[in-house]
Structures are given as C-alpha cells and as structure tokens.
Amino acid sequence: MARMTFPERSEPAFDAAERPMLEGWLDYHRETMAMKCAGLTDAQLREASVPPSAFTLLGLLRHMAEVERGWFREVLAGEELPELYSTEEDPDGEFHVTEADTWAEADAAWRAEIAAARKNAAAYHLDDFSQGVGSAGEAFSLRWIYLHMIEEYARHNGHADLVRERVDGATGD
C-alpha cells in the first residue's frame, strides 16, 4: 500500500478566537478534499471504486460544490440559483459523472463556490441569521452553517479516504 505525499495544508490555529477557528477548520477540510483528489487522472477521479455504488472522487467534489452553493449562497445570502449538476430528473446528478466530466471543470466550479461562500460569509456575524431558508423553512445562523459545513466535509473526507485507497492504494491524512 502506497503512502501518499500530499501537498501542504494549513493547520487550524489552536488559540484563535471563535470565528477564525471555525473558518480555519473549514478551510482545513476544504484543503483535505483537494488533497484526496491530487495527482489522479480524470479517469481515476471518475472511477467508481466501491461497486455497485457510482460514488467517485469527482462526483464527491461536484457534490461539495453544490453544498457550498446551497448553504452560503442560497440559504445564507438568499440567492435564487439553479443547481450546478442536479436536475429534477436526476436529483443526484453531481454523483453521476460521465467521460465528458473533468477535474478542471469540477475544480473550477468548486473553487468558485468557495470564493462566493467566503464573500457572502464576510458580510455576516456568527449570530446573524440567513436571508434564505432551509428545506423546512427555517433560517440558520452563520455559526450553524460553519459547523454544519465542517461536519459535511469531515464526513465526506472520510469517504474520500476510502475511495482514494481503492483507486490507487494511496493512504494518508
């Protein structure tokens, strides 16, 4: 089994105030997601490594772009936006990758959503509530959204660990 050499990742500060701590942990997990995809070809990123599941690293990255968009743009800022990959006919479209889907496109979309998330979050205090609402009609504080996003990335980074190991045998932090 190969031990993967990952690019450097910023460790969250252990003595920061609450907001920089939350933002640091979210960025840490974002960087971890990128690391799990680093060095693979488009074909490897599209490889469904746990049959019969269609779960792939590329699909997971596309999913996280949708999640960033949903929480920071649609819920927090109240923007009305179309889905990036999902449709009414295919609500899990982000996971259904094809030969035409590339790392370059998915990474650009994901990074654009992260940039928009940072911009939108900068306009709010942790206790401020969102302009938009969740699926049950509730508003969320920015603090809740940060904590949820850290949880979302942490869970999916665990999935990415397993998929990456199945794709090329690489393991790592």
Side-chain angles (χ1 to χ4, degrees), residues 112-141:
E113 292 304 328
I114 290 171
R118 287 183 177 130
K119 180 180 179 226
N120 287 349
Y124 290 79
H125 295 286
L126 291 177
D127 291 326
D128 290 346
F129 277 84
S130 60
Q131 299 299 306
V133 295
S135 59
E138 68 277 56
F140 295 88
S141 71

Side-chain angles (χ1 to χ4, degrees), residues 37-52:
C37 298
L40 295 176
T41 66
D42 282 350
Q44 288 173 309
L45 290 164
R46 289 190 299 262
E47 184 178 328
S49 61
V50 191

Side-chain angles (χ1 to χ4, degrees), residues 12-167:
F14 62 88
D15 59 353
E18 182 181 16
R19 184 171 186 143
M21 180 82 66
L22 291 170
E23 290 171 347
W25 275 105
L26 181 53
D27 284 341
Y28 177 84
H29 282 292
R30 286 168 170 156
E31 291 169 18
T32 301
M33 178 64 63
M35 289 169 50
K36 296 301 172 182
C37 298
L40 295 176
T41 66
D42 282 350
Q44 288 173 309
L45 290 164
R46 289 190 299 262
E47 184 178 328
S49 61
V50 191
S53 173
F55 196 78
T56 66
L57 288 170
L58 190 61
L60 185 55
L61 188 75
R62 289 166 30 133
H63 173 69
M64 293 313 299
E66 292 271 23
V67 171
E68 292 271 0
R69 183 181 188 92
W71 282 106
F72 287 105
R73 294 182 70 187
E74 295 173 358
V75 174
L76 183 63
E79 296 178 43
E80 291 187 31
L81 302 167
E83 298 293 327
L84 290 170
Y85 305 103
S86 302
T87 64
E88 195 170 300
E89 300 78 34
D90 188 5
D92 294 323
E94 70 267 32
F95 290 112
H96 301 143
V97 298
T98 69
E99 292 293 318
D101 296 314
T102 66
W103 167 258
E105 182 282 323
D107 184 55
W110 178 61
R111 291 184 189 279
E113 292 304 328
I114 290 171
R118 287 183 177 130
K119 180 180 179 226
N120 287 349
Y124 290 79
H125 295 286
L126 291 177
D127 291 326
D128 290 346
F129 277 84
S130 60
Q131 299 299 306
V133 295
S135 59
E138 68 277 56
F140 295 88
S141 71
L142 177 59
R143 177 182 288 105
W144 190 97
I145 292 171
Y146 275 150
L147 289 168
H148 174 70
M149 290 298 294
I150 291 165
E151 177 273 331
E152 182 90 11
Y153 271 102
R155 180 167 34 96
H156 286 315
N157 283 336
H159 298 140
D161 281 339
L162 297 172
V163 174
R164 178 64 190 252
E165 186 174 4
R166 291 282 297 171
V167 168

